[in-house]
């Protein structure tokens, strides 16, 4: 791709972009009377304008129908979660019965670990990436302790090679093979939150299965960002949140994938609750848990309709845009960002992109390692209407998302950096 560092070029790319109208579907935060350059959808996605109406629809139903809303009106609450399955399945490459929307991410991770971390004999270890998102680290640590193991012994962390920022797939696969007899579970991020690297989920899953381990992914940064084929890759389970790239609101609901091999197995141990119980006899209120077939059988509580209503509005936008179309734009948009940063003629020891250069090994986010006065640069950017995020000790994450960011956004960010480093 041949990019140009001019406003005219950026505006022409926006003009040619068939997805440009989707920006109109979102509220863009303002700064000094102008739209911000919002490059932070990896942390909290923007609000779809349709979210308010979706929420109001359920508020009205509640006001007018009260408890009857469970069984009457459009999309009764009793089966509300089912309306989210088809668009969710398309996003992550699953069958509708393999996914369910419920709870929040870390809660769902624990529920999955209850079913899929089943240590036995010498096979009791979990292999994960070093520097995983802290919530995942705490979840793994507490789960191995519950089974009576010491985290230092039972958790194997794979780090990048010395002097490198990202992982080589061959090293991950080799580590799985080297520890093959001891690993019960491989649990990794699908897309690493700090570096922006996409892991080779298909190869990791296959190798985990070859050594007799189960394989799951935390897709917090992958869902809505990169297309996936969870079913075909034979992934055992996955979880993700919906408030990052999926634009479903702070603390929003979460998604779960359970491969049909497991989802259709009522014998699989799990923590149970009444909303996972066979829907035909749920209201008989009798003892003896019978799981719903599919991922629905992991539900515990009755569905949280309000956050789900927001998520439903957001999923409709993804459905209309198409994840493959979004990905095509995303590769170009992030490629443009990379081109502008590489053109800064900045000594590498000051500012360095640590995200892989191969578009197949990243999503929309680029992570900038700023070796000197990084926090100061970040604060200056924020004070000037560039919304990004800072991750200790020295990384600024920049995430142009294809739904609402423009080439002009990226150009303006590049201009600001150029002026900063010249000044
Ligand atoms: C954002 C994120 C979380 C956050 O967990 P919540 O339960 O939604 O608060 C967890 N893990 C990863 C990898 C994340 O990126």
């Amino acid at each position: 791709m041949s990019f140009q560092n001019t406003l005219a070029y950026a505006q022409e790319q926006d003009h040619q972009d068939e997805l440009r109208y989707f920006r109109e579907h979102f509220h863009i935060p303002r700064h000094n009377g102008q739209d911000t350059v919002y490059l932070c959808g990896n942390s909290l996605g923007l609000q779809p304008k349709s979210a308010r109406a979706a929420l109001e629809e359920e508020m009205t139903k509640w006001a007018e129908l009260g408890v009857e809303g469970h069984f009457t009106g459009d999309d009764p609450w009793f089966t509300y979660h089912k309306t989210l399955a088809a668009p969710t399945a398309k996003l992550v490459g699953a069958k509708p019965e393999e996914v369910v929307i419920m709870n929040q991410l870390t809660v769902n991770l624990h529920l999955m670990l209850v079913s899929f971390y089943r240590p036995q004999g010498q096979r009791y270890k979990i292999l994960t990436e070093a520097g995983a998102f802290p919530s995942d680290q705490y979840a793994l640590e507490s789960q191995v302790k519950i089974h009576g193991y010491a985290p230092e012994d039972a958790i194997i962390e794979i780090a990048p090679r010395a002097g490198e920022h990202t992982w080589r797939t061959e090293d991950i696969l080799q580590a799985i093979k080297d520890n093959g007899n001891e690993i019960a579970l491989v649990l990794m991020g699908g897309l690493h939150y700090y570096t922006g690297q996409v892991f080779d989920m298909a190869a990791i899953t296959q190798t985990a299965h070859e050594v007799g381990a189960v394989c799951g992914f935390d897709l917090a940064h992958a869902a809505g960002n990169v297309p996936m084929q969870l079913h075909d890759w034979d992934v055992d389970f996955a979880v993700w949140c919906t408030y990052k790239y999926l634009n479903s609101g702070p603390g929003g609901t979460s998604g779960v994938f359970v491969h049909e091999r497991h989802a259709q197995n009522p014998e699989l141990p799990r923590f149970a609750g009444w909303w996972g119980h066979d829907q035909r006899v749920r209201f008989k209120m009798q003892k003896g848990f019978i799981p719903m077939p599919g991922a629905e059988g992991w539900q515990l509580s009755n569905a949280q309709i309000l956050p789900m209503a927001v998520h439903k509005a957001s999923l409709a936008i993804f459905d209309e845009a198409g994840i493959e179309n979004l990905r095509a734009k995303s590769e170009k948009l992030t490629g443009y960002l990379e081109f502008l940063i590489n053109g800064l003629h900045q000594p590498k020891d000051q500012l360095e992109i640590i995200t892989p250069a191969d578009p197949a090994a990243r999503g929309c986010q680029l992570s900038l390692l700023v070796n000197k006065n990084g926090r100061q640069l970040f604060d200056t950017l924020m004070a000037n209407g560039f919304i990004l995020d800072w991750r200790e000790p020295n990384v600024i994450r920049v995430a142009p998302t294809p739904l609402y960011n423009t080439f002009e956004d990226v150009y303006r960010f590049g201009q600001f950096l150029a002026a900063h480093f010249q000044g």
Side-chain angles (χ1 to χ4, degrees), residues 104-106 133 135-136 193 218 220-221 241 243-244:
Q104 288 177 278
L105 172 53
T106 306
F133 194 89
S135 200
D136 301 38
Y193 82 101
D218 180 332
H221 282 265
C241 53
Y243 50 81
K244 291 172 179 166

Side-chain angles (χ1 to χ4, degrees), residues 25 27 47-63 74-75 77 80 83-84 247-248 304-317:
H25 293 335
H27 291 289
Q47 182 183 140
K49 290 178 180 167
S50 53
R52 192 177 292 265
L55 206 45
E56 251 162 33
E57 194 180 324
E58 301 313 318
M59 294 298 280
T60 303
K61 224 191 265 179
W62 178 21
D74 298 335
D75 298 335
W77 301 327
Y80 197 86
T83 64
L84 308 179
N247 308 318
S248 299
Q304 292 162 292
I305 299 301
L306 302 180
M308 285 187 184
V310 174
H311 189 42
K312 190 176 177 191
S314 170
L315 284 173
I317 295 173

Side-chain angles (χ1 to χ4, degrees), residues 91-93 105 109 136 187-192 198-199 201 216-230 233 235 237-242 244-246 255-257:
L91 267 186
V92 298
L105 172 53
L109 179 55
D136 301 38
L187 188 280
M188 297 188 59
L191 195 154
H192 188 250
V198 180
F199 292 116
M201 291 178 251
F217 292 96
D218 180 332
L219 305 177
H221 282 265
N225 183 8
V226 292
M228 290 174 284
Q229 296 300 333
L230 297 182
W233 294 343
V235 169
F237 70 92
V239 291
W240 58 93
C241 53
T242 64
K244 291 172 179 166
Y245 293 106
L246 291 175
V256 169
F257 165 87

Side-chain angles (χ1 to χ4, degrees), residues 19-28 35 47-50 317 402-406:
L19 299 175
R20 68 184 179 279
Y21 297 111
F22 282 94
R23 180 177 170 88
E24 305 297 320
H25 293 335
F26 290 89
H27 291 289
I28 312 289
D35 285 351
Q47 182 183 140
K49 290 178 180 167
S50 53
I317 295 173
L403 267 178
Y404 49 75
N405 284 121
T406 61

